[in-house]
Amino acid sequence: MRPVVDEDLRMIQESVARISEREISRDLDALNHYPDMGDPSGMIAAMRELGLFELASATGEDSSFRTLGIILETLAETAAAPAALLLAHSVASWVARETGFQDSGGLQGCAIYTEAGHTDGNIVLSKRPEGYTLNGTCRFVVNAGIADSLLLLACSEENPSEHFLVLVDASSEGLRTGKPLLTLGMRGCPVADIEFRDVKISPQGCVPGGIEMLHQTWRRFRGPVAAIAAGITGASLRTATGYAQERYQGGKQIIDHQQVRAMLAEMLADYQACCEAADRLSENSLPVESIAASLFIRAKESAARATTDGVQLLGGYGYMEDYGQERRMRDAKQAQCLLGRCDILRQQQLAGWLASEAAL
Amino acid sequence: MEFEGYAAGEEPTLSDLYPTVTYLCRSNPALLAEYEGALARARKFRKKFVDPNSLEIDRRVMTDPTYVAHEVLKAAGDYQLFSMLIPRTLGGLGYSLLSLIIVIEEIGAGCIGLANLIGVNGLAIATIASTGEMGILARVGRRIRDGELSGRPHILSTAITEPSAGTDVEDPDLLRTARYFSEATPVKGGYRLNGRKVFISNGSIAQTHVIILPTDKRHPVETYAAFIVESGTPGFSIGRVEHKMGQKACPAAELIFEDCFVPAKDRAGLKMDAHRTLELTLGFTRGCVGLFGASVARAAFEKALRYARRTRHEGELLIDQQWAQFRLTDMYRNAQMARTMALEAILSNQVMGLYSAISGVESLDALVKRIPEQLFRQVPVAKLLSLKQARFAGAQKLSDIPSPAVERASCAGATAKYTGSDLGMINAHMAVELMGTDGLRHDAGAEKIFRDAKLLQIYEGTNQLNRIDVFKKSFGRTDMIAAAAAGGL
């Protein structure tokens, strides 16, 4: 765990660490094979008991993003799956509150592995005399199957370039959740494709201007995502360092091999990049948008790179499930996709930077 | 020469993959036919048994690591994939190494776990061949061929890694300080094996195991030896089957020896030179891992290419977007580079390394090819080659290879190994990233390639060890360093 100065935050951090150690880590082996084995309900119950969903729903002010970041980072040090689950709930809750949707108070889900505004599916909202209907498929929805309501982006049937944010009751007639997907990482956080067939939506359940709202949301949640990356990378770094101090090769501890030291130092630099991004992006204190985007992309890529080396440093043991390094490598790679692909984010980042330069 | 397969959106042709080889073979239609036949056979096998099953097998092993796709193993036997590497005189089919390369890459591009499941036999064969024991090789080769003909494949495993020593026991220079846990103690009539070996590919399913152990663990270099142990031998048991991140189709298991007696005839090699045996074995097998890297790099590239050709982002196909074109081009380049390095390594082993030592056998092959297999199978080759004179001849043949040639071939193997596996891993990272959420779903296949690729950077010596090896065998040789210090270089 990273040292936290603020006393309230430290208490939250310690509580999350305790529950992670006590309640979440015991199910990790089974959850590592989810959905074929394991059940996330114990993990969710533990998070609920600690009030994490309420805390995440209340995220709004800059300070609350810092709190969310600490929670996610601490969870991700043990397992990234509950962090992804909480992130999706938090994102959906934030959008719902910002757009004036009525808060159902339950668990929420949404698609958080795509670029803002990219639907990764084809969902059409059609106006009907009595309200709206939703048709199409939304792919890779996080918390699908366990969420009470789902936030998604749909395009208007009348004008396909116009997008609406839609909040759907997960028990709506015509909504069919596919089987939970087996994913690369963050196993235990349910993800599925969802099909909509003439699902009725009330006029209060959808708002226009969806893409702009999502862009704003995605920008705001970069800090919490970087915090997840920091949590995973920190755990991988600590495990690799511990192993390097125990393991002998060529008659000496492997940490005394220069190349091993160099790899650990690289991992440390990557970890620090994640931590810096987590802190500065959560504070929302960066004056220039393109700097924020750079930090975010760098953090996600650093985590994927560092955790790959985290496996390598343990050799054959790193590749086996026992040490958790392989899980961290998979989790970090999956986290790299959170809020969009780095290659596409880079295109958006430069466009933003050029626009800000032109405005000067 | 134009690109054929990739341009049409189909599988790459031989000239797409090996353009120079294809070009050079234009004056030798028979050789070209052998290579094209090898590719066609491997592709047919892949389409029928690998592509439709690999994801399901991978998923099944996730919950049951002991599950083995026996139907794929049987099919591999039906396609004679186990015996193709072994010289005909020694009971196999005696295909050229280049045909083997083509077959390995093709199957590996479908699933590297299944390619490993089938290919692990090659490591054992190379290890036995490196001891010069052609009699044992002929015995094992005959069993492999019999297994193919009977529909019950004969599987081999090779056990080197120990619980506290992986990389150390795969490097001739580190052997001296390696923390050996296991030992083969000389007793009347043979040896008594005690200890454990870990992460042994196919260890839980093999019928024959090649166990590398010192006969005195205080002096591993001087007493290094290979022992042939059959499953079911008293004192030998299978321990834990590992839960691996990837390459799940190929089980990795712990082998346990508790006073396991091995007769003297099953110790391979009259007098084994640990350094040379390791160099000869790993020079070849590391080249093969480099080729696995090329397979993974190609699989990742092809997966991403198919995705980019059919997926739109912001209304435009990814293949039409320049950033994606650059990514794909890098991936294509990486696959080519890995393949080229592996080709160099494996061919150098043919002319300078392990396979140059069995060139005498290969020339006998030409003669044997004229004898019908049924008739030839009645010749007691293994017995003849186990005669003392033949054993000495085999050992002599190996020691006749000049040391610089062995080192060069070994260096080429290590270079190909770390290059190919690094490039495979890079491509796997890029494919997952380019494919977005499709890259994360098991049913889309890219995430499996990502998990599979990582092991290539670890087994057959970590890539860090292989870098040290290349340094020591090339510009970092002790004699060169001394010459440089004396102002000679």
Side-chain angles (χ1 to χ4, degrees), chain A residues 36 120 139 182 184 193 312 317 319 321-322 333 341-343, chain B residues 59 163 240 327 433 437-438 440-442 451 454 457 464:
Chain A
D36 297 336
D120 206 4
R139 304 183 75 222
L182 175 58
L184 170 64
D193 299 335
Q312 188 71 18
Y317 290 104
Y319 198 71
E321 292 180 4
D322 315 56
K333 190 64 189 170
R341 284 164 275 193
C342 292
D343 279 322
Chain B
R59 189 157 183 170
R240 166 193 161 97
R327 285 287 188 207
E433 171 73 2
T437 55
D438 275 1
L440 305 176
R441 322 166 54 114
H442 182 264
R451 289 184 286 110
K454 184 65 199 151
Q457 295 181 303
Q464 286 66 37

PDB file of all heavy atoms in Angstrom, chain A residues 36 120 139 182 184 193 312 317 319 321-322 333 341-343, chain B residues 59 163 240 327 433 437-438 440-442 451 454 457 464:
ATOM      1  N   ASP A  36     -16.484 -19.926 -15.502  1.00  0.00           N
ATOM      2  CA  ASP A  36     -16.608 -21.385 -15.434  1.00  0.00           C
ATOM      3  C   ASP A  36     -16.569 -21.886 -14.000  1.00  0.00           C
ATOM      4  O   ASP A  36     -17.069 -22.969 -13.694  1.00  0.00           O
ATOM      5  CB  ASP A  36     -15.497 -22.044 -16.256  1.00  0.00           C
ATOM      6  CG  ASP A  36     -15.615 -21.687 -17.724  1.00  0.00           C
ATOM      7  OD1 ASP A  36     -16.738 -21.344 -18.141  1.00  0.00           O
ATOM      8  OD2 ASP A  36     -14.616 -21.717 -18.448  1.00  0.00           O
ATOM      9  N   ASP A 120     -19.506   0.354 -29.763  1.00  0.00           N
ATOM     10  CA  ASP A 120     -19.088  -1.046 -29.757  1.00  0.00           C
ATOM     11  C   ASP A 120     -20.301  -1.960 -29.897  1.00  0.00           C
ATOM     12  O   ASP A 120     -20.436  -2.975 -29.237  1.00  0.00           O
ATOM     13  CB  ASP A 120     -18.323  -1.389 -28.464  1.00  0.00           C
ATOM     14  CG  ASP A 120     -17.365  -2.555 -28.712  1.00  0.00           C
ATOM     15  OD1 ASP A 120     -17.269  -2.995 -29.862  1.00  0.00           O
ATOM     16  OD2 ASP A 120     -16.741  -3.007 -27.758  1.00  0.00           O
ATOM     17  N   ARG A 139     -22.346  -4.555 -26.607  1.00  0.00           N
ATOM     18  CA  ARG A 139     -21.357  -5.600 -26.337  1.00  0.00           C
ATOM     19  C   ARG A 139     -20.481  -5.232 -25.140  1.00  0.00           C
ATOM     20  O   ARG A 139     -20.247  -4.073 -24.861  1.00  0.00           O
ATOM     21  CB  ARG A 139     -20.490  -5.807 -27.584  1.00  0.00           C
ATOM     22  CG  ARG A 139     -21.315  -6.126 -28.819  1.00  0.00           C
ATOM     23  CD  ARG A 139     -20.451  -6.388 -30.019  1.00  0.00           C
ATOM     24  NE  ARG A 139     -19.824  -7.693 -29.955  1.00  0.00           N
ATOM     25  CZ  ARG A 139     -18.561  -7.933 -30.290  1.00  0.00           C
ATOM     26  NH1 ARG A 139     -17.783  -6.950 -30.676  1.00  0.00           N
ATOM     27  NH2 ARG A 139     -18.080  -9.141 -30.227  1.00  0.00           N
ATOM     28  N   LEU A 182     -15.976 -15.145 -20.836  1.00  0.00           N
ATOM     29  CA  LEU A 182     -14.650 -15.434 -20.286  1.00  0.00           C
ATOM     30  C   LEU A 182     -13.717 -14.378 -20.871  1.00  0.00           C
ATOM     31  O   LEU A 182     -13.617 -14.223 -22.083  1.00  0.00           O
ATOM     32  CB  LEU A 182     -14.202 -16.838 -20.699  1.00  0.00           C
ATOM     33  CG  LEU A 182     -12.783 -17.251 -20.305  1.00  0.00           C
ATOM     34  CD1 LEU A 182     -12.569 -17.178 -18.806  1.00  0.00           C
ATOM     35  CD2 LEU A 182     -12.490 -18.670 -20.798  1.00  0.00           C
ATOM     36  N   LEU A 184      -9.950 -11.924 -20.763  1.00  0.00           N
ATOM     37  CA  LEU A 184      -8.505 -12.034 -20.519  1.00  0.00           C
ATOM     38  C   LEU A 184      -8.183 -11.812 -19.039  1.00  0.00           C
ATOM     39  O   LEU A 184      -7.470 -12.601 -18.424  1.00  0.00           O
ATOM     40  CB  LEU A 184      -7.761 -10.994 -21.376  1.00  0.00           C
ATOM     41  CG  LEU A 184      -6.280 -10.801 -21.076  1.00  0.00           C
ATOM     42  CD1 LEU A 184      -5.483 -12.068 -21.363  1.00  0.00           C
ATOM     43  CD2 LEU A 184      -5.707  -9.651 -21.909  1.00  0.00           C
ATOM     44  N   ASP A 193     -22.616  -9.577 -23.331  1.00  0.00           N
ATOM     45  CA  ASP A 193     -23.296  -8.819 -24.380  1.00  0.00           C
ATOM     46  C   ASP A 193     -24.783  -8.771 -24.009  1.00  0.00           C
ATOM     47  O   ASP A 193     -25.324  -9.753 -23.478  1.00  0.00           O
ATOM     48  CB  ASP A 193     -23.139  -9.512 -25.734  1.00  0.00           C
ATOM     49  CG  ASP A 193     -21.671  -9.617 -26.139  1.00  0.00           C
ATOM     50  OD1 ASP A 193     -20.868  -8.787 -25.676  1.00  0.00           O
ATOM     51  OD2 ASP A 193     -21.342 -10.521 -26.932  1.00  0.00           O
ATOM     52  N   GLN A 312       8.014 -12.372 -15.962  1.00  0.00           N
ATOM     53  CA  GLN A 312       9.335 -12.823 -16.431  1.00  0.00           C
ATOM     54  C   GLN A 312      10.317 -12.979 -15.273  1.00  0.00           C
ATOM     55  O   GLN A 312      11.107 -13.914 -15.238  1.00  0.00           O
ATOM     56  CB  GLN A 312       9.876 -11.787 -17.447  1.00  0.00           C
ATOM     57  CG  GLN A 312      11.141 -12.210 -18.158  1.00  0.00           C
ATOM     58  CD  GLN A 312      10.896 -13.330 -19.169  1.00  0.00           C
ATOM     59  OE1 GLN A 312       9.778 -13.569 -19.577  1.00  0.00           O
ATOM     60  NE2 GLN A 312      11.942 -14.015 -19.544  1.00  0.00           N
ATOM     61  N   TYR A 317       7.687 -19.920 -12.331  1.00  0.00           N
ATOM     62  CA  TYR A 317       6.712 -19.696 -11.258  1.00  0.00           C
ATOM     63  C   TYR A 317       5.782 -18.531 -11.601  1.00  0.00           C
ATOM     64  O   TYR A 317       4.621 -18.515 -11.210  1.00  0.00           O
ATOM     65  CB  TYR A 317       7.418 -19.442  -9.926  1.00  0.00           C
ATOM     66  CG  TYR A 317       8.094 -20.682  -9.379  1.00  0.00           C
ATOM     67  CD1 TYR A 317       9.472 -20.847  -9.448  1.00  0.00           C
ATOM     68  CD2 TYR A 317       7.341 -21.709  -8.824  1.00  0.00           C
ATOM     69  CE1 TYR A 317      10.091 -21.990  -8.971  1.00  0.00           C
ATOM     70  CE2 TYR A 317       7.938 -22.864  -8.342  1.00  0.00           C
ATOM     71  CZ  TYR A 317       9.318 -23.000  -8.410  1.00  0.00           C
ATOM     72  OH  TYR A 317       9.908 -24.143  -7.950  1.00  0.00           O
ATOM     73  N   TYR A 319       4.605 -17.839 -14.395  1.00  0.00           N
ATOM     74  CA  TYR A 319       3.624 -18.252 -15.398  1.00  0.00           C
ATOM     75  C   TYR A 319       2.513 -19.117 -14.793  1.00  0.00           C
ATOM     76  O   TYR A 319       1.485 -19.315 -15.397  1.00  0.00           O
ATOM     77  CB  TYR A 319       4.344 -19.028 -16.511  1.00  0.00           C
ATOM     78  CG  TYR A 319       3.550 -19.142 -17.783  1.00  0.00           C
ATOM     79  CD1 TYR A 319       3.342 -18.029 -18.601  1.00  0.00           C
ATOM     80  CD2 TYR A 319       2.996 -20.347 -18.175  1.00  0.00           C
ATOM     81  CE1 TYR A 319       2.613 -18.130 -19.764  1.00  0.00           C
ATOM     82  CE2 TYR A 319       2.274 -20.461 -19.353  1.00  0.00           C
ATOM     83  CZ  TYR A 319       2.085 -19.347 -20.140  1.00  0.00           C
ATOM     84  OH  TYR A 319       1.356 -19.450 -21.301  1.00  0.00           O
ATOM     85  N   GLU A 321      -0.353 -20.082 -11.832  1.00  0.00           N
ATOM     86  CA  GLU A 321      -1.346 -19.246 -11.157  1.00  0.00           C
ATOM     87  C   GLU A 321      -1.013 -18.969  -9.692  1.00  0.00           C
ATOM     88  O   GLU A 321      -1.509 -18.003  -9.123  1.00  0.00           O
ATOM     89  CB  GLU A 321      -2.723 -19.912 -11.257  1.00  0.00           C
ATOM     90  CG  GLU A 321      -3.251 -19.932 -12.690  1.00  0.00           C
ATOM     91  CD  GLU A 321      -4.605 -20.588 -12.807  1.00  0.00           C
ATOM     92  OE1 GLU A 321      -5.186 -20.978 -11.775  1.00  0.00           O
ATOM     93  OE2 GLU A 321      -5.072 -20.728 -13.944  1.00  0.00           O
ATOM     94  N   ASP A 322      -0.149 -19.773  -9.093  1.00  0.00           N
ATOM     95  CA  ASP A 322       0.078 -19.704  -7.651  1.00  0.00           C
ATOM     96  C   ASP A 322       0.551 -18.350  -7.129  1.00  0.00           C
ATOM     97  O   ASP A 322       0.171 -17.938  -6.047  1.00  0.00           O
ATOM     98  CB  ASP A 322       1.105 -20.764  -7.239  1.00  0.00           C
ATOM     99  CG  ASP A 322       0.827 -22.092  -7.893  1.00  0.00           C
ATOM    100  OD1 ASP A 322       0.752 -22.136  -9.132  1.00  0.00           O
ATOM    101  OD2 ASP A 322       0.672 -23.074  -7.175  1.00  0.00           O
ATOM    102  N   LYS A 333      -3.359  -5.863 -18.707  1.00  0.00           N
ATOM    103  CA  LYS A 333      -3.617  -5.750 -20.147  1.00  0.00           C
ATOM    104  C   LYS A 333      -5.072  -5.394 -20.391  1.00  0.00           C
ATOM    105  O   LYS A 333      -5.391  -4.608 -21.280  1.00  0.00           O
ATOM    106  CB  LYS A 333      -3.263  -7.074 -20.840  1.00  0.00           C
ATOM    107  CG  LYS A 333      -3.260  -6.994 -22.353  1.00  0.00           C
ATOM    108  CD  LYS A 333      -2.201  -6.048 -22.871  1.00  0.00           C
ATOM    109  CE  LYS A 333      -2.332  -5.792 -24.349  1.00  0.00           C
ATOM    110  NZ  LYS A 333      -1.447  -4.703 -24.795  1.00  0.00           N
ATOM    111  N   ARG A 341      -8.932   2.420 -26.338  1.00  0.00           N
ATOM    112  CA  ARG A 341      -7.625   1.926 -26.782  1.00  0.00           C
ATOM    113  C   ARG A 341      -6.606   3.063 -26.845  1.00  0.00           C
ATOM    114  O   ARG A 341      -6.936   4.161 -27.301  1.00  0.00           O
ATOM    115  CB  ARG A 341      -7.762   1.322 -28.192  1.00  0.00           C
ATOM    116  CG  ARG A 341      -8.393  -0.020 -28.213  1.00  0.00           C
ATOM    117  CD  ARG A 341      -8.850  -0.391 -29.588  1.00  0.00           C
ATOM    118  NE  ARG A 341     -10.173   0.137 -29.863  1.00  0.00           N
ATOM    119  CZ  ARG A 341     -10.933  -0.228 -30.888  1.00  0.00           C
ATOM    120  NH1 ARG A 341     -10.480  -1.097 -31.761  1.00  0.00           N
ATOM    121  NH2 ARG A 341     -12.135   0.284 -31.061  1.00  0.00           N
ATOM    122  N   CYS A 342      -5.400   2.788 -26.413  1.00  0.00           N
ATOM    123  CA  CYS A 342      -4.373   3.831 -26.362  1.00  0.00           C
ATOM    124  C   CYS A 342      -4.105   4.415 -27.744  1.00  0.00           C
ATOM    125  O   CYS A 342      -3.888   5.624 -27.889  1.00  0.00           O
ATOM    126  CB  CYS A 342      -3.087   3.275 -25.762  1.00  0.00           C
ATOM    127  SG  CYS A 342      -3.284   2.874 -24.015  1.00  0.00           S
ATOM    128  N   ASP A 343      -4.094   3.572 -28.766  1.00  0.00           N
ATOM    129  CA  ASP A 343      -3.807   4.078 -30.118  1.00  0.00           C
ATOM    130  C   ASP A 343      -4.843   5.101 -30.551  1.00  0.00           C
ATOM    131  O   ASP A 343      -4.521   6.107 -31.187  1.00  0.00           O
ATOM    132  CB  ASP A 343      -3.772   2.914 -31.121  1.00  0.00           C
ATOM    133  CG  ASP A 343      -2.431   2.198 -31.088  1.00  0.00           C
ATOM    134  OD1 ASP A 343      -1.401   2.869 -30.931  1.00  0.00           O
ATOM    135  OD2 ASP A 343      -2.422   0.955 -31.217  1.00  0.00           O
TER     136      ASP A 343
ATOM    137  N   ARG B  59     -10.236 -23.699 -22.763  1.00  0.00           N
ATOM    138  CA  ARG B  59     -11.213 -23.383 -21.718  1.00  0.00           C
ATOM    139  C   ARG B  59     -11.437 -24.578 -20.794  1.00  0.00           C
ATOM    140  O   ARG B  59     -11.583 -24.419 -19.581  1.00  0.00           O
ATOM    141  CB  ARG B  59     -12.530 -22.958 -22.379  1.00  0.00           C
ATOM    142  CG  ARG B  59     -13.509 -22.410 -21.391  1.00  0.00           C
ATOM    143  CD  ARG B  59     -14.519 -21.516 -22.028  1.00  0.00           C
ATOM    144  NE  ARG B  59     -15.387 -20.974 -20.997  1.00  0.00           N
ATOM    145  CZ  ARG B  59     -16.255 -20.003 -21.191  1.00  0.00           C
ATOM    146  NH1 ARG B  59     -16.354 -19.441 -22.362  1.00  0.00           N
ATOM    147  NH2 ARG B  59     -17.010 -19.575 -20.205  1.00  0.00           N
ATOM    148  N   PRO B 163      12.948 -27.833  -8.748  1.00  0.00           N
ATOM    149  CA  PRO B 163      12.191 -26.826  -7.989  1.00  0.00           C
ATOM    150  C   PRO B 163      12.981 -25.545  -7.709  1.00  0.00           C
ATOM    151  O   PRO B 163      12.424 -24.450  -7.707  1.00  0.00           O
ATOM    152  CB  PRO B 163      11.866 -27.548  -6.676  1.00  0.00           C
ATOM    153  CG  PRO B 163      11.881 -28.994  -7.024  1.00  0.00           C
ATOM    154  CD  PRO B 163      12.909 -29.150  -8.095  1.00  0.00           C
ATOM    155  N   ARG B 240       2.052 -32.912  -9.020  1.00  0.00           N
ATOM    156  CA  ARG B 240       1.059 -31.896  -9.357  1.00  0.00           C
ATOM    157  C   ARG B 240       1.088 -31.555 -10.849  1.00  0.00           C
ATOM    158  O   ARG B 240       2.161 -31.436 -11.442  1.00  0.00           O
ATOM    159  CB  ARG B 240       1.425 -30.686  -8.504  1.00  0.00           C
ATOM    160  CG  ARG B 240       0.817 -29.393  -8.818  1.00  0.00           C
ATOM    161  CD  ARG B 240       1.585 -28.313  -8.035  1.00  0.00           C
ATOM    162  NE  ARG B 240       1.324 -27.006  -8.633  1.00  0.00           N
ATOM    163  CZ  ARG B 240       0.415 -26.171  -8.169  1.00  0.00           C
ATOM    164  NH1 ARG B 240      -0.273 -26.471  -7.107  1.00  0.00           N
ATOM    165  NH2 ARG B 240       0.203 -25.016  -8.774  1.00  0.00           N
ATOM    166  N   ARG B 327       0.517  -0.300 -37.329  1.00  0.00           N
ATOM    167  CA  ARG B 327       0.565  -1.381 -36.343  1.00  0.00           C
ATOM    168  C   ARG B 327       0.649  -2.730 -37.053  1.00  0.00           C
ATOM    169  O   ARG B 327       1.453  -3.591 -36.704  1.00  0.00           O
ATOM    170  CB  ARG B 327      -0.698  -1.362 -35.469  1.00  0.00           C
ATOM    171  CG  ARG B 327      -0.720  -0.259 -34.439  1.00  0.00           C
ATOM    172  CD  ARG B 327       0.263  -0.567 -33.320  1.00  0.00           C
ATOM    173  NE  ARG B 327       0.134   0.362 -32.231  1.00  0.00           N
ATOM    174  CZ  ARG B 327       1.121   0.675 -31.417  1.00  0.00           C
ATOM    175  NH1 ARG B 327       2.325   0.143 -31.592  1.00  0.00           N
ATOM    176  NH2 ARG B 327       0.944   1.502 -30.417  1.00  0.00           N
ATOM    177  N   GLU B 433      -4.531  -5.017 -28.111  1.00  0.00           N
ATOM    178  CA  GLU B 433      -4.794  -3.580 -28.053  1.00  0.00           C
ATOM    179  C   GLU B 433      -5.603  -3.120 -29.272  1.00  0.00           C
ATOM    180  O   GLU B 433      -6.587  -2.401 -29.141  1.00  0.00           O
ATOM    181  CB  GLU B 433      -3.453  -2.837 -27.963  1.00  0.00           C
ATOM    182  CG  GLU B 433      -3.511  -1.330 -28.110  1.00  0.00           C
ATOM    183  CD  GLU B 433      -4.100  -0.618 -26.900  1.00  0.00           C
ATOM    184  OE1 GLU B 433      -4.430  -1.290 -25.921  1.00  0.00           O
ATOM    185  OE2 GLU B 433      -4.239   0.621 -26.964  1.00  0.00           O
ATOM    186  N   THR B 437     -12.309  -4.405 -27.294  1.00  0.00           N
ATOM    187  CA  THR B 437     -12.985  -5.412 -26.461  1.00  0.00           C
ATOM    188  C   THR B 437     -12.933  -6.800 -27.100  1.00  0.00           C
ATOM    189  O   THR B 437     -12.962  -7.810 -26.388  1.00  0.00           O
ATOM    190  CB  THR B 437     -14.453  -5.029 -26.189  1.00  0.00           C
ATOM    191  OG1 THR B 437     -15.092  -4.810 -27.440  1.00  0.00           O
ATOM    192  CG2 THR B 437     -14.541  -3.782 -25.348  1.00  0.00           C
ATOM    193  N   ASP B 438     -12.867  -6.857 -28.431  1.00  0.00           N
ATOM    194  CA  ASP B 438     -12.737  -8.179 -29.066  1.00  0.00           C
ATOM    195  C   ASP B 438     -11.412  -8.827 -28.683  1.00  0.00           C
ATOM    196  O   ASP B 438     -11.297 -10.053 -28.673  1.00  0.00           O
ATOM    197  CB  ASP B 438     -12.840  -8.071 -30.593  1.00  0.00           C
ATOM    198  CG  ASP B 438     -14.292  -8.088 -31.047  1.00  0.00           C
ATOM    199  OD1 ASP B 438     -15.169  -8.154 -30.172  1.00  0.00           O
ATOM    200  OD2 ASP B 438     -14.536  -8.032 -32.260  1.00  0.00           O
ATOM    201  N   LEU B 440     -10.209  -8.789 -25.816  1.00  0.00           N
ATOM    202  CA  LEU B 440     -10.296  -9.242 -24.427  1.00  0.00           C
ATOM    203  C   LEU B 440     -11.170 -10.482 -24.249  1.00  0.00           C
ATOM    204  O   LEU B 440     -11.158 -11.103 -23.201  1.00  0.00           O
ATOM    205  CB  LEU B 440     -10.855  -8.115 -23.541  1.00  0.00           C
ATOM    206  CG  LEU B 440     -10.113  -6.771 -23.598  1.00  0.00           C
ATOM    207  CD1 LEU B 440     -10.843  -5.727 -22.757  1.00  0.00           C
ATOM    208  CD2 LEU B 440      -8.676  -6.926 -23.115  1.00  0.00           C
ATOM    209  N   ARG B 441     -11.950 -10.820 -25.282  1.00  0.00           N
ATOM    210  CA  ARG B 441     -12.890 -11.938 -25.157  1.00  0.00           C
ATOM    211  C   ARG B 441     -12.227 -13.250 -25.551  1.00  0.00           C
ATOM    212  O   ARG B 441     -11.573 -13.325 -26.587  1.00  0.00           O
ATOM    213  CB  ARG B 441     -14.105 -11.779 -26.067  1.00  0.00           C
ATOM    214  CG  ARG B 441     -14.652 -10.417 -26.240  1.00  0.00           C
ATOM    215  CD  ARG B 441     -15.623 -10.313 -27.387  1.00  0.00           C
ATOM    216  NE  ARG B 441     -16.697 -11.245 -27.329  1.00  0.00           N
ATOM    217  CZ  ARG B 441     -17.973 -10.905 -27.147  1.00  0.00           C
ATOM    218  NH1 ARG B 441     -18.306  -9.655 -26.999  1.00  0.00           N
ATOM    219  NH2 ARG B 441     -18.904 -11.819 -27.142  1.00  0.00           N
ATOM    220  N   HIS B 442     -12.469 -14.258 -24.746  1.00  0.00           N
ATOM    221  CA  HIS B 442     -11.890 -15.575 -25.041  1.00  0.00           C
ATOM    222  C   HIS B 442     -12.368 -16.092 -26.393  1.00  0.00           C
ATOM    223  O   HIS B 442     -11.588 -16.662 -27.163  1.00  0.00           O
ATOM    224  CB  HIS B 442     -12.272 -16.557 -23.931  1.00  0.00           C
ATOM    225  CG  HIS B 442     -11.694 -17.922 -24.109  1.00  0.00           C
ATOM    226  ND1 HIS B 442     -12.383 -18.947 -24.695  1.00  0.00           N
ATOM    227  CD2 HIS B 442     -10.471 -18.425 -23.801  1.00  0.00           C
ATOM    228  CE1 HIS B 442     -11.620 -20.034 -24.729  1.00  0.00           C
ATOM    229  NE2 HIS B 442     -10.458 -19.741 -24.189  1.00  0.00           N
ATOM    230  N   ARG B 451      -1.871 -14.938 -23.786  1.00  0.00           N
ATOM    231  CA  ARG B 451      -1.489 -15.792 -22.648  1.00  0.00           C
ATOM    232  C   ARG B 451      -0.459 -16.838 -23.069  1.00  0.00           C
ATOM    233  O   ARG B 451       0.479 -17.125 -22.350  1.00  0.00           O
ATOM    234  CB  ARG B 451      -2.736 -16.481 -22.060  1.00  0.00           C
ATOM    235  CG  ARG B 451      -3.663 -15.535 -21.321  1.00  0.00           C
ATOM    236  CD  ARG B 451      -4.828 -16.265 -20.681  1.00  0.00           C
ATOM    237  NE  ARG B 451      -5.835 -16.696 -21.636  1.00  0.00           N
ATOM    238  CZ  ARG B 451      -6.068 -17.951 -21.982  1.00  0.00           C
ATOM    239  NH1 ARG B 451      -5.363 -18.930 -21.454  1.00  0.00           N
ATOM    240  NH2 ARG B 451      -7.012 -18.254 -22.850  1.00  0.00           N
ATOM    241  N   LYS B 454       3.488 -15.690 -23.648  1.00  0.00           N
ATOM    242  CA  LYS B 454       4.405 -15.350 -22.556  1.00  0.00           C
ATOM    243  C   LYS B 454       5.341 -16.502 -22.195  1.00  0.00           C
ATOM    244  O   LYS B 454       6.512 -16.280 -21.846  1.00  0.00           O
ATOM    245  CB  LYS B 454       3.594 -14.899 -21.330  1.00  0.00           C
ATOM    246  CG  LYS B 454       4.420 -14.424 -20.166  1.00  0.00           C
ATOM    247  CD  LYS B 454       5.197 -13.156 -20.507  1.00  0.00           C
ATOM    248  CE  LYS B 454       6.346 -12.950 -19.544  1.00  0.00           C
ATOM    249  NZ  LYS B 454       7.474 -12.249 -20.109  1.00  0.00           N
ATOM    250  N   GLN B 457       8.879 -16.858 -23.678  1.00  0.00           N
ATOM    251  CA  GLN B 457       9.993 -16.048 -23.162  1.00  0.00           C
ATOM    252  C   GLN B 457      10.632 -16.677 -21.926  1.00  0.00           C
ATOM    253  O   GLN B 457      11.635 -16.196 -21.435  1.00  0.00           O
ATOM    254  CB  GLN B 457       9.500 -14.636 -22.803  1.00  0.00           C
ATOM    255  CG  GLN B 457       9.025 -13.834 -24.004  1.00  0.00           C
ATOM    256  CD  GLN B 457       8.564 -12.443 -23.615  1.00  0.00           C
ATOM    257  OE1 GLN B 457       7.670 -12.296 -22.782  1.00  0.00           O
ATOM    258  NE2 GLN B 457       9.168 -11.428 -24.199  1.00  0.00           N
ATOM    259  N   GLN B 464      16.500 -13.760 -20.725  1.00  0.00           N
ATOM    260  CA  GLN B 464      17.673 -13.099 -20.151  1.00  0.00           C
ATOM    261  C   GLN B 464      18.882 -14.038 -20.240  1.00  0.00           C
ATOM    262  O   GLN B 464      19.967 -13.629 -20.631  1.00  0.00           O
ATOM    263  CB  GLN B 464      17.402 -12.719 -18.684  1.00  0.00           C
ATOM    264  CG  GLN B 464      16.462 -11.539 -18.501  1.00  0.00           C
ATOM    265  CD  GLN B 464      15.046 -11.800 -18.962  1.00  0.00           C
ATOM    266  OE1 GLN B 464      14.516 -12.885 -18.815  1.00  0.00           O
ATOM    267  NE2 GLN B 464      14.415 -10.787 -19.545  1.00  0.00           N
TER     268      GLN B 464
END
